[in-house]
């Protein structure tokens, strides 16, 4: 615990801890005046470094780019391997584990040690790994790296400790699973085939032991050669040479016949009695053409032949369609007797597997389901019903149903919000699923004691919003909202509609949600904002639309004499024929010959519509085109339900809307907000600079980085943290009338190169960008240069200042304020913070009738780099939340006894008045530094430069451990926490390098020391930086392995066992062990011991402290053992003395006796 005291008496307006003088910390719009300030700040800081540790908690979503599939029929758990080396292990809901190979090599194949709690993975770097699943965090026990051969196929017989490994050269090696050492027993390809064969048979594509005799191994080669190898006799029983390449082989459970799938779309059945030719050849999807020839078909990539007691066998295969049917979707075919069912899939099939009742391959299989792994989905088909319905998937595998473009994370939500969202969303669930329980039901999971309501919101490229219940490290879809329903569908061939036909005009850029008032706001890529209110009742409503003109004309010349000192309210115009539309007008925008002037990008439905229960659209705000130039995308947004206000900004300026009265209160450029208090020296453009095109706000130096950034832009990536990276950063527009921007004289503005309003809306998952990791910092005192690159001179600042963050709250706008008032905190890309006061009526009737007044800008504070976040603390260091309105259902039936009135909840800075007087602390964080100011005196108490070589992407003031800290995520992959208010570093971890925009767009912090980001286009990764949660993580995770008795093999009967020839006394150890087979060549494969699980890793990470602790424990144990040894020695001595005494007495007794007396 550390106590910070700062005596503020007699301090000047400049900051003692700042890096520059008064402009940084103490300058205001007017003359500084003395204001009452607290005598001292007394904050008990309780957070220490030991409270923080970074670790991954859980990964949600569909495994990205899956490659392999495996199922344990006894434990009933499923494993999915991916191209990036990840393995997802799934059981019952809540049992969901992610493992990652350090090499990052693609997973080729997975093999469970059935009912043993272990998994073998074969990777593309020709390495085998053995994973221990008997711990909540699986770890690698052994690895075996092949040096001279490439792995193509693996097979592990049930209840065997010997793994068969086929290679690209056609050889088959055998690995001991327990020791992970290669056996000396090798089946060479030239021994497997006949000596007369002139060609190489190709890679091994199949290995399986015969159900009839475990001592027979069936080897399938790619060229079409099949060999049954006698493991005891070390010779081939038979060889099959077929013309078509083989893709897979599947046995009948009796071991007398097997089925092969081929590259020509055929299935062949082979009988062991006659292997000279197949006894059946079928082309399931090949029809006979008019000329009598069969249609050419695509390869059948895999076939499974499964028997059933009470019905015909199942033949299940993927592929095999005829080539002439172009455009057909991928299919899974189920042949059951004479019935053929073709299931069309939405995505290509990666792998499938039939789930059977028994793990024994020599028993009737009784398949009950088929797991189908698609490129972007996981489907389980119920085989027990004739129509083959699919099971409802309990895992959140559809996060990427439409590409994710933004995320939001809310921890510790009101407890009633999740049940009500679920009840609304449940009404719209799909039907037609199988009525049986989800068959992947392994593992155990219990609700931990450290759980609280959590919600994740994802925005998507098609304009949809999904609310997810993220409580207790699970993820379940609650409610889906489609924002596109607010707008009319563009008609084909109509003007702009033709341009938008193949675009994503509804893509979601950001969301703002107040869980207490249930007010929800969505920002879209078409420069539109939709405000939603929640209701449990359906309603007939007409959506109100407001149009905002936030753009300059290129010929505008701003002079100091124009409308000097006029208030900055915009008056609603009458540009739209609908009475419920309003425009914020600017000069010269009344009429235009261009069809792209004063029109929004989208058309709102202008009729009364029926809206279902849930979130219902109340207001749509759209920015307008100006002279054929599209509106700039919105970079910042904040909404406050207590004030009834919504504020948003972009590269051009700021707008404030009263959503209760449906009016525009403010619409002006960023420069207009300053008035005479502009902290920058803004000069007239030089002719030399005028010849260069206007570029984006975060323009990099003229090198390859800027070229890479420009190439990788998409509409959803044009703004990161509010930085305008568009090549068309336009001059500002303002509401009418304008306020002068200083006394530097006339200033001409120039339009940048135009571009179409939309491109294909890429998801946040797809964006890749070369982010700068080092920047040249110019002297702030001399040139006020704040860009990330020194190539942008201060001469162009007037066209590049974007609104990057906004925050409503109770605060002090000026130094002489004695009472807090509603304020809007505005942060810009140049590091300027403005505080704008507002006057809002508190009475409900007055609030709906009297206009909200907005005063001139108050405080002007400065930071290095673009402003990212605001947070407010009282003088005791406790977090001050924004005021909000308690939710009320506007569509509920009227109750005369209980009229619906607004109930507001305020968190005033006066909560600690008795302890420290008036005022509060403002935490300001930018790309480069964090500052803590005391309001209203505007004194800078603490400054911390977060990074010099990189820049902060996300920052948030988060409650943790009954205290509060500042959490930051940097572009170089560092995650750090700072104490508040002292900004003392508590944690700095190099978590990961930022390689693409997906992570930058989707990373967000939440209360309680949690965060998340989109780790791949289809997966959400949640992490925690709380030591307490890391310690409790083992309790929260599910158990993958549960002790289950292995089912007993069926009694086959005497005659069947006698004549069937199944050799149950086959001893693999006798054949493959070192005594019989010898040692394998050391150069063939290298054994790599694995880490001994998480416990070993924790001890290793503890360093010297851990070594000392272990040494002390060892000494204690040694002392204890020495003590026990001493005790045992004393007991033995006593026993020996007793024995000696009894022996002596017996000797004396018998000494004088004769022999006949015994």
């Amino acid at each position: 615990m550390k106590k910070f005291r700062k005596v503020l008496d007699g301090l000047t307006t400049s900051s003692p801890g700042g890096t520059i003088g008064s402009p940084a910390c103490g300058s205001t719009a007017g003359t500084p005046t003395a204001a009452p300030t607290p005598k001292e700040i007394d904050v008990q800081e309780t957070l220490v470094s030991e409270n923080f540790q970074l670790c991954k908690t859980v990964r949600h979503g569909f495994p990205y780019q899956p490659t392999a599939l495996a199922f344990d029929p006894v434990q009933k758990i499923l494993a999915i391997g991916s191209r990036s080396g990840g393995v997802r292990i799934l059981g019952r809901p809540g049992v969901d584990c992610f493992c990652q190979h350090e090499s990052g090599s693609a997973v080729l194949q997975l093999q469970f040690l059935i009912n043993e709690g272990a998994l073998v993975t074969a990777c593309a770097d020709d390495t085998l790994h053995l994973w221990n699943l008997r711990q909540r965090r699986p770890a690698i026990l052994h690895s075996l790296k092949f040096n001279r051969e490439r792995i193509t196929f693996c097979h592990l017989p049930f209840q065997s400790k010997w793994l068969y490994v086929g290679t690209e050269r056609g050889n088959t090696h055998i690995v001991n699973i327990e020791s992970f050492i290669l056996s000396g027993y090798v089946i060479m390809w030239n021994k497997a085939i006949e000596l007369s064969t002139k060609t190489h048979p190709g890679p091994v594509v199949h290995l399986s032991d015969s159900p009839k005799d475990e001592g027979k191994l069936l080897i399938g080669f790619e060229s079409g050669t099949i060999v049954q190898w006698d493991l005891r006799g070390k010779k081939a029983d038979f060889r099959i040479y077929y013309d078509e390449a083989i893709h897979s082989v599947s046995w009948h459970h009796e071991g007398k016949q097997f089925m092969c799938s081929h590259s020509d779309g055929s299935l062949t059945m082979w009988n062991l009695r006659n292997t000279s030719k197949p006894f059946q050849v079928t082309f399931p999807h090949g029809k006979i053409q008019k000329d009598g020839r069969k249609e050419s078909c695509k390869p059948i990539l895999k076939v499974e032949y499964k028997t059933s007691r009470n019905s015909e066998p199942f033949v299940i295969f993927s592929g095999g369609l005829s080539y002439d049917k172009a455009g057909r979707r991928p299919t899974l075919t189920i042949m059951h007797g004479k019935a053929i069912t073709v299931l069309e899939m939405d995505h290509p099939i990666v792998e499938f597997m039939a789930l059977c009742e028994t793990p024994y391959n020599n028993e009737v299989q009784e398949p009950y389901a088929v797991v189908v792994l698609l490129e972007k989905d996981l489907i389980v088909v119920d085989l027990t019903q004739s129509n083959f319905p699919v099971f409802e998937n309990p895992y959140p595998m559809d996060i990427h149903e439409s590409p994710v473009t933004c995320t939001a994370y809310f921890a510790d939500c009101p407890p009633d919000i999740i049940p009500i969202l679920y009840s609304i969303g449940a009404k719209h669930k799909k039907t037609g699923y199988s009525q049986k329980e989800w068959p992947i039901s392994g593992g155990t999971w219990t609700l931990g004691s450290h759980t609280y309501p959590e919600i994740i919101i994802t925005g998507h490229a098609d304009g949809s919003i999904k609310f997810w219940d993220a409580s207790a490290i699970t993820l379940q879809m609650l409610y889906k909202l489609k924002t596109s329903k607010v707008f009319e569908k563009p008609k084909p061939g109509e003007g702009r509609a033709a341009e938008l036909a193949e675009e994503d005009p509804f893509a979601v850029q950001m969301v703002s949600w107040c869980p207490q008032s249930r007010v929800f706001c969505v920002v879209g890529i078409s420069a539109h904002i939709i405000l939603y209110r929640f209701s449990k009742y359906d309603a007939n409503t007409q959506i109100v639309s407001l149009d905002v003109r936030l753009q300059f004309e290129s010929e505008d010349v701003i002079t100091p004499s124009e409308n000097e000192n006029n208030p900055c309210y915009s008056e609603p115009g009458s540009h739209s024929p609908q009475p419920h539309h309003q425009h914020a007008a600017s000069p010269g925008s009344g009429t235009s010959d261009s069809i792209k002037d004063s029109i929004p990008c989208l058309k709102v439905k202008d009729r009364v519509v029926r809206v279902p229960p849930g979130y219902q659209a109340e207001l749509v705000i759209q920015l307008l085109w100006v002279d054929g130039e599209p509106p700039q995308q919105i970079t910042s947004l904040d909404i406050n339900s207590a004030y009834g206000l919504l504020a948003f900004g972009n590269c051009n300026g700021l707008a404030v809307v009263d959503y209760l009265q449906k009016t525009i209160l403010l619409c002006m450029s960023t420069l207009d907000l300053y008035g005479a208090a502009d902290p920058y020296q803004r000069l007239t453009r030089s002719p030399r600079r005028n010849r260069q095109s206007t570029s984006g706000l975060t323009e990099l130096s003229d090198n390859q980085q800027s070229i890479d950034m420009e190439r990788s832009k998409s509409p959803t990536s044009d703004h990161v943290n509010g930085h305008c990276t568009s090549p068309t950063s336009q001059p500002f527009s303002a509401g009418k009338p304008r306020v002068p921007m200083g006394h530097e004289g006339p200033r001409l503005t120039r339009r940048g190169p135009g571009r179409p309003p939309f491109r294909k809306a890429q998801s946040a998952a797809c964006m890749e960008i070369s982010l700068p990791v080092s920047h040249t910092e110019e002297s702030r005192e001399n040139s006020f240069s704040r860009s990330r690159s020194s190539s942008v001179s201060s001469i162009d600042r007037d066209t590049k200042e974007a609104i990057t963050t906004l925050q409503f709250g109770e605060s002090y706008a000026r130094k002489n304020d004695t009472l807090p008032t509603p304020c809007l905190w505005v942060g810009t890309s140049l590091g300027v913070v403005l505080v704008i006061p507002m006057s809002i009526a508190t009475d409900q009737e007055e609030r709906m009738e009297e206009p909200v007044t907005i005063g001139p800008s108050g405080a002007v504070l400065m930071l290095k780099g673009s402003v990212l976040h605001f947070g407010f603390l009282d003088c005791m260091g406790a977090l001050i939340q924004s005021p909000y309105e308690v939710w009320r259902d506007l569509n509920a039936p009227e109750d005369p006894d209980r009229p619906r009135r607004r109930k507001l909840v305020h968190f005033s800075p006066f909560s600690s008045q008795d302890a420290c007087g008036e005022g509060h602390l403002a935490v300001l964080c930018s790309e480069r530094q964090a500052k803590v100011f005391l309001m209203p005196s505007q004194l800078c108490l603490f400054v911390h430069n977060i990074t010099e070589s990189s820049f902060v992407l996300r920052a948030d003031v988060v409650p943790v451990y009954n205290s509060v800290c500042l959490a930051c995520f940097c572009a170089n992959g560092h995650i750090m926490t700072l104490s508040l208010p002292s900004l003392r570093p508590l944690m700095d971890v190099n978590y990961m390098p930022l390689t693409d925009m997906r992570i930058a767009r989707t990373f967000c912090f939440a209360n309680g020391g949690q965060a998340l980001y989109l780790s791949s286009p289809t997966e959400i990764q949640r992490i925690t930086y709380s030591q307490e949660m890391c310690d409790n993580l083992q309790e929260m995770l599910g158990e993958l392995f549960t002790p289950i008795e292995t089912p007993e093999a069926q009694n086959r009967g005497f005659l069947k066992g006698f004549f069937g020839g199944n050799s149950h006394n086959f001893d693999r150890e006798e054949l493959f062990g070192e005594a019989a087979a010898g040692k394998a060549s050391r150069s063939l494969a290298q054994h790599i011991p694995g880490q001994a699980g998480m416990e070993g890793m924790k001890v290793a990470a503890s360093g010297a402290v851990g070594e000392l602790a272990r040494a002390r424990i060892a000494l204690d144990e040694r002392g204890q053992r020495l003590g026990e040894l001493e005790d045992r020695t004393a007991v033995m001595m006593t026993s020996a003395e007793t024995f000696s005494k009894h022996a002596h007495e017996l000797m004396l007794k018998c000494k004088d006796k004769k022999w006949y007396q015994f």
Side-chain angles (χ1 to χ4, degrees):
M1 184 183 296
K2 195 163 184 180
K3 186 178 289 189
F4 291 92
R5 292 180 177 272
K6 193 168 187 73
V7 178
L8 302 177
D9 264 353
L11 289 178
T12 62
T13 56
S14 62
S15 166
T19 56
I20 61 172
S22 58
C25 303
S27 66
T28 57
T31 305
T33 55
T37 59
K39 295 297 179 186
E40 62 178 21
I41 299 290
D42 186 358
V43 177
Q44 301 279 347
E45 289 196 0
T46 58
L47 294 180
V48 292
S49 298
E50 288 72 23
N51 295 137
F52 297 93
Q53 181 189 342
L54 191 68
C55 69
K56 295 180 180 179
T57 52
V58 69
R59 183 173 290 209
H60 303 297
F62 180 77
Y64 184 54
Q65 295 179 328
T67 54
L69 183 70
F71 182 71
D72 187 325
V74 179
Q75 289 289 322
K76 295 191 183 301
I77 56 176
L78 186 81
I80 301 172
S82 71
R83 194 177 300 175
S84 59
V87 178
R88 281 283 288 282
I89 305 171
L90 302 168
R92 67 176 67 247
V95 179
D96 187 341
C97 180
F98 174 76
C99 314
Q100 176 69 45
H101 294 93
E102 288 185 4
S103 65
S105 298
V107 178
L108 298 179
Q109 200 174 350
L110 299 165
Q111 286 275 317
F112 275 107
L113 277 66
I114 295 175
N115 205 28
E116 295 291 333
L119 175 72
V120 174
T121 58
C123 295
D125 61 351
D126 306 307
T127 307
L128 297 172
H129 303 276
L130 179 65
W131 292 83
N132 177 20
L133 307 184
R134 291 177 178 247
Q135 54 193 54
R136 299 190 184 217
R137 289 270 184 163
I140 292 177
L141 296 175
H142 300 282
S143 298
L144 189 66
K145 167 77 173 172
F146 280 74
N147 296 322
R148 295 186 297 180
E149 298 201 52
R150 308 217 63 182
I151 299 171
T152 56
F153 196 87
C154 298
H155 170 63
L156 180 65
F158 178 45
Q159 294 182 324
S160 168
K161 67 174 184 178
W162 297 95
L163 173 74
Y164 302 114
V165 181
T167 68
E168 195 173 43
R169 292 186 182 180
N171 303 324
T172 301
H173 301 275
I174 300 167
V175 178
N176 186 309
I177 288 296
E178 292 176 350
S179 61
F180 239 56
I181 295 175
L182 212 57
S183 168
Y185 192 113
V186 183
I187 306 172
M188 305 299 290
W189 68 271
N190 53 356
K191 299 285 181 66
I193 65 172
E194 289 178 328
L195 294 177
S196 59
T197 306
K198 296 180 180 179
T199 58
H200 190 278
V204 175
V205 295
H206 178 81
L207 293 167
S208 62
D209 52 331
S210 167
K212 188 177 179 181
D213 186 350
E214 293 175 345
K216 310 287 186 181
L217 183 68
L218 195 69
I219 307 173
F221 297 93
E222 189 180 60
S223 63
T225 301
I226 301 173
V227 177
Q228 180 166 291
W229 185 261
D230 184 348
L231 293 167
R232 296 187 200 86
K234 298 184 180 180
K235 61 183 178 62
D237 285 346
F238 63 81
R239 299 178 178 91
I240 296 173
Y241 300 97
Y242 195 66
D243 296 335
E244 292 295 335
I246 290 175
H247 285 283
S248 69
V249 181
S250 184
W251 281 97
H252 187 280
H253 80 274
E254 292 178 350
K256 297 176 182 178
Q257 60 188 33
F258 58 86
M259 181 180 287
C260 300
S261 69
H262 300 278
S263 57
D264 63 347
S266 65
L267 297 173
T268 57
M269 287 281 288
W270 300 84
N271 197 307
L272 299 194
R273 293 178 181 175
N274 179 16
T275 56
S276 60
K277 63 176 183 178
F279 75 86
Q280 184 181 345
V281 180
T282 58
F283 288 82
H285 295 299
K287 297 179 182 177
I288 299 176
Q289 297 175 336
K290 293 180 180 178
D291 56 2
R293 292 164 55 189
K294 288 262 186 185
E295 286 181 317
S296 58
C297 296
K298 299 176 183 177
I300 294 179
L301 301 177
K302 183 178 180 180
V303 64
E304 291 208 355
Y305 185 26
K306 300 297 181 184
T307 52
S308 180
R309 272 191 202 86
N310 303 320
S311 64
E312 296 286 328
F314 284 88
V315 177
I316 307 165
F317 62 89
S318 60
L321 293 178
S322 59
Y323 275 108
D324 63 345
K325 295 179 180 176
R328 285 196 65 175
R329 294 192 290 180
T331 60
L332 183 80
T333 304
I334 302 173
M335 299 171 62
H336 189 213
K338 294 183 179 179
I340 299 178
T341 304
V342 179
L343 304 177
E344 289 194 340
M345 304 293 169
D346 293 331
H347 310 284
I349 297 172
V350 175
E351 174 74 286
F352 75 88
M353 183 173 290
L355 309 186
C356 301
E357 296 287 355
T358 176
Y360 297 94
N361 65 346
N362 58 1
E363 296 180 357
V364 179
Q365 297 297 286
E366 292 291 352
Y368 57 89
V370 180
V371 178
V372 188
L373 178 64
L374 307 177
E375 277 190 3
K376 295 184 178 180
D377 204 358
L378 180 71
I379 292 173
V380 182
V381 181
D382 186 356
L383 293 180
T384 61
Q385 299 182 44
S386 58
N387 60 339
F388 302 129
V390 297
F391 289 88
E392 185 175 6
N393 196 328
Y395 315 127
M397 294 289 185
D398 57 345
I399 292 174
H400 62 287
E401 182 180 17
S402 172
V404 177
T405 53
C406 76
T407 58
Y409 190 9
F410 299 88
D412 209 5
C413 300
D416 60 335
I417 192 71
I418 289 178
I420 196 166
L421 283 174
Y422 181 80
S423 64
I424 297 293
K427 299 175 183 176
H428 305 285
K429 282 197 172 183
K430 295 178 181 177
T431 57
Y433 293 111
S434 171
Q435 299 301 310
K436 296 196 172 182
E437 288 188 7
W438 180 252
I440 305 165
S441 55
T444 56
W445 179 75
T446 55
L447 197 64
S449 57
H450 300 272
T451 60
Y452 42 81
E454 298 175 70
I455 286 180
I456 294 172
I457 300 176
T458 56
H460 300 265
D462 64 353
S464 60
I465 305 281
K466 291 181 180 178
F467 290 76
W468 305 84
D469 177 9
S471 309
I473 71 168
T474 61
L475 196 69
Q476 182 183 12
M477 230 261 275
L478 293 172
Y479 175 70
K480 183 176 179 180
L481 176 67
K482 294 182 179 179
T483 63
S484 58
K485 290 187 174 181
V486 172
F487 303 99
E488 301 281 4
K489 291 182 180 178
K491 295 180 181 178
E494 265 191 19
R496 288 181 303 127
E499 299 174 18
L500 306 181
E502 296 184 2
E503 313 297 343
D504 289 320
F506 309 114
V508 178
Q509 269 192 303
M510 69 180 81
V511 296
S512 179
W513 185 48
C514 176
Q516 289 82 9
S517 62
R518 302 182 190 174
V519 174
F520 185 56
C521 221
V522 179
V523 175
I525 198 173
S526 301
H528 65 271
I529 301 172
I530 310 174
L531 175 75
Y532 290 90
R533 297 277 203 114
F534 188 83
S535 176
K536 294 189 287 185
Y537 303 91
D538 55 3
N540 294 317
T541 183
Q542 184 164 2
I543 303 166
V544 178
S545 176
L546 291 177
D547 295 338
V548 178
R549 188 181 181 95
L550 200 57
Q551 198 120 338
F552 265 153
E553 281 73 12
S554 59
E555 60 274 2
D556 274 355
V557 178
I558 312 299
T559 62
S561 60
E562 182 182 9
N563 294 330
E564 191 165 356
N565 297 328
N566 273 0
C568 52
Y569 307 125
S570 60
E571 299 173 358
S574 57
H575 296 271
S576 176
Q578 289 86 359
H580 61 279
H581 282 248
Q582 291 183 353
H583 292 272
S586 63
S589 65
T591 60
S592 175
D593 296 334
S594 171
I595 61 168
K596 293 288 184 69
D597 186 62
S598 300
I599 58 170
C601 298
L602 302 170
K603 187 177 187 328
V604 181
K605 291 179 179 177
D606 56 1
R607 60 186 182 277
V608 175
V609 292
R610 184 80 174 171
V611 289
Y615 273 103
Q616 301 167 351
E618 181 178 291
L619 175 66
V620 176
I621 303 165
Q622 294 191 86
L623 298 185
L624 299 173
W625 284 65
V626 176
D627 271 347
E629 290 293 335
Q632 291 295 315
Q633 292 165 18
I634 294 163
T635 58
S636 55
L637 170 78
D638 192 38
I639 186 168
N640 189 281
S641 56
Y643 301 159
L645 300 180
L646 182 153
F648 62 94
N650 65 2
C651 291
N652 292 330
L654 170 71
V656 180
V657 173
D658 183 342
Y659 69 79
L660 295 178
Q661 297 185 22
K662 310 296 188 294
T663 57
I664 301 166
L665 302 175
L666 180 75
C667 176
M668 60 167 49
S669 76
T670 317
L671 295 181
D672 295 342
L673 295 173
Y674 291 123
D678 192 342
Y680 285 119
Q681 301 169 3
R682 305 185 193 258
L683 307 177
T684 308
R685 284 182 193 269
S686 66
R688 185 166 168 266
R689 286 295 289 180
N690 240 350
R691 286 197 296 269
Q692 300 179 15
S693 63
T694 305
S695 59
L697 177 70
T698 55
E699 174 192 349
L700 305 175
S701 57
D702 297 327
N703 54 19
Q704 186 61 35
Q705 278 185 326
S706 61
I707 296 169
D708 292 343
M709 178 176 273
E710 183 57 37
R711 283 177 182 167
S712 63
K713 283 190 203 118
S714 74
T716 54
S717 67
D718 276 344
H719 301 283
V720 181
N721 293 340
H723 308 311
C724 174
T725 57
S726 164
T728 57
S729 297
Q730 303 296 327
F732 297 98
S733 74
K736 183 179 180 178
R738 283 196 185 87
V739 176
M741 289 165 279
H743 307 286
E744 62 270 23
R747 183 171 53 245
L748 288 171
T749 59
R750 178 178 176 179
R751 184 190 311 282
R755 64 174 174 87
F758 307 111
R759 264 171 273 170
K760 185 69 178 173
Q762 298 179 21
S763 70
C766 303
M767 300 168 197
E768 294 189 357
I769 196 164
S770 301
L771 286 172
V773 293
S774 62
H775 313 284
T776 306
E777 181 86 16
E778 295 182 9
S779 170
R780 288 179 53 208
E781 292 88 342
N782 299 327
S783 66
F784 293 97
S785 176
R786 300 193 167 275
S787 71
R788 298 182 187 169
S789 166
S790 59
S791 65
V792 183
S793 68
S794 60
I795 213 165
D796 286 330
R797 299 301 180 194
D798 52 344
T799 60
K800 295 185 173 64
E801 188 166 14
I803 306 295
T804 55
T805 186
L806 296 164
Q807 178 76 50
F808 286 105
E810 301 282 315
S811 187
Y812 304 86
R814 293 172 181 79
K815 287 187 176 182
N816 54 2
D817 286 352
T818 56
L819 294 175
T821 57
C823 291
L824 174 62
W825 285 68
V826 181
T828 76
S829 57
L830 299 187
V832 181
V833 176
L834 300 168
V835 185
I836 301 174
M838 299 175 293
S839 176
I840 305 173
T842 55
D843 182 75
Q844 180 171 345
E845 285 75 17
E846 292 179 359
R847 175 65 186 85
M848 298 304 296
E849 295 174 1
E850 294 185 6
V852 175
T853 56
I854 299 178
S857 298
V860 178
L861 311 174
M862 304 286 290
L863 290 90
K864 285 183 185 176
S866 178
V867 183
L868 299 181
H869 187 74
F870 301 127
F872 306 115
L873 311 177
D874 63 23
C875 291
M876 297 298 291
L879 185 66
I880 302 174
Q881 298 181 21
S882 296
Y884 63 85
E885 176 190 358
V886 177
W887 175 71
R888 56 198 175 105
D889 197 332
L890 299 178
N891 296 333
E894 290 284 353
D895 186 353
D897 298 331
R898 298 180 61 187
R900 289 198 304 266
R901 299 188 61 84
R902 295 185 75 209
K903 182 181 178 182
L904 307 183
V905 178
H906 287 270
F907 301 91
S908 173
F910 286 116
S911 57
S912 305
Q913 184 175 359
D914 296 338
C916 65
E918 303 172 5
H920 71 86
L921 302 175
V923 181
L924 280 54
C925 185
S926 73
E927 290 178 320
R928 298 295 183 82
Q929 68 177 185
K931 290 185 178 182
V932 176
F933 287 88
L934 177 66
M935 304 300 288
S937 64
Q938 301 175 20
L939 292 176
C940 185
L941 304 183
F942 300 99
V943 180
H944 178 72
N945 292 320
I946 299 171
T947 177
E948 294 295 336
S949 60
S950 184
F951 54 93
V952 180
L953 285 166
R954 289 287 181 269
D956 204 352
V957 175
V958 290
V960 59
Y961 289 106
N962 296 319
S963 187
V964 66
C965 71
L966 177 64
C968 303
F969 173 56
C970 294
N972 59 7
H974 282 249
I975 295 177
M976 56 190 72
T977 58
L978 305 172
S979 69
L980 289 176
S982 67
L983 299 178
R984 175 172 43 91
L986 297 171
M987 181 190 76
D988 187 352
V989 178
N990 187 5
Y991 177 64
M992 62 180 172
L994 179 66
T995 54
D996 56 35
M997 288 297 292
R998 176 185 66 245
I999 299 170
R1001 288 285 302 172
T1002 58
F1003 195 99
C1004 50
F1005 292 102
N1007 295 349
Q1010 297 194 73
L1012 66 78
Y1013 60 93
L1014 213 63
S1015 58
S1016 75
T1018 61
E1019 296 168 286
I1020 291 174
Q1021 177 69 57
R1022 290 165 68 179
I1023 62 175
T1024 181
Y1025 47 94
S1026 161
Q1027 178 67 57
E1028 182 184 9
M1029 189 164 184
C1030 289
D1031 294 340
N1032 295 324
L1033 190 58
Q1034 292 293 323
E1035 175 195 338
M1036 300 168 71
L1037 295 173
E1039 289 274 7
L1040 293 172
F1041 179 79
T1042 51
I1044 300 174
E1045 286 288 333
T1046 302
E1048 292 186 4
Q1050 294 176 0
N1051 187 1
R1052 308 186 71 215
F1054 172 76
L1055 291 176
K1056 197 167 185 179
F1058 185 78
F1059 292 108
N1062 194 344
S1063 178
H1064 289 283
N1065 57 358
F1066 174 61
D1067 188 358
R1068 294 185 177 90
E1069 182 68 39
E1070 185 180 321
L1071 279 175
F1072 307 144
E1074 189 176 321
K1079 290 184 178 181
S1081 171
R1082 288 189 176 181
S1083 62
L1084 183 61
Q1086 174 190 359
H1087 176 256
I1088 305 168
Q1091 295 173 331
M1094 287 294 290
E1095 298 303 319
M1097 292 171 66
K1098 282 184 179 178
V1099 173
S1102 61
V1105 177
E1107 294 294 339
L1108 286 171
R1110 282 196 295 275
R1112 178 177 292 176
I1113 291 170
L1115 283 172
D1116 291 344
E1117 290 177 350
R1118 183 169 177 268
Q1120 186 177 353
R1121 285 197 295 269
L1122 285 172
E1124 291 173 356
L1125 181 62
E1126 187 179 346
D1127 292 342
R1128 284 199 298 270
T1129 304
V1131 171
M1132 289 173 65
M1133 288 177 64
T1134 306
S1135 178
E1137 288 175 0
T1138 306
F1139 179 76
S1140 174
K1141 181 180 177 183
H1142 286 307
H1144 183 71
E1145 290 175 354
L1146 186 63
M1147 184 267 293
L1148 293 175
K1149 185 177 179 181
C1150 300
K1151 183 172 67 171
D1152 298 330
K1153 288 188 177 182
K1154 303 297 181 182
W1155 63 271
Y1156 54 82
Q1157 292 177 321
F1158 287 99

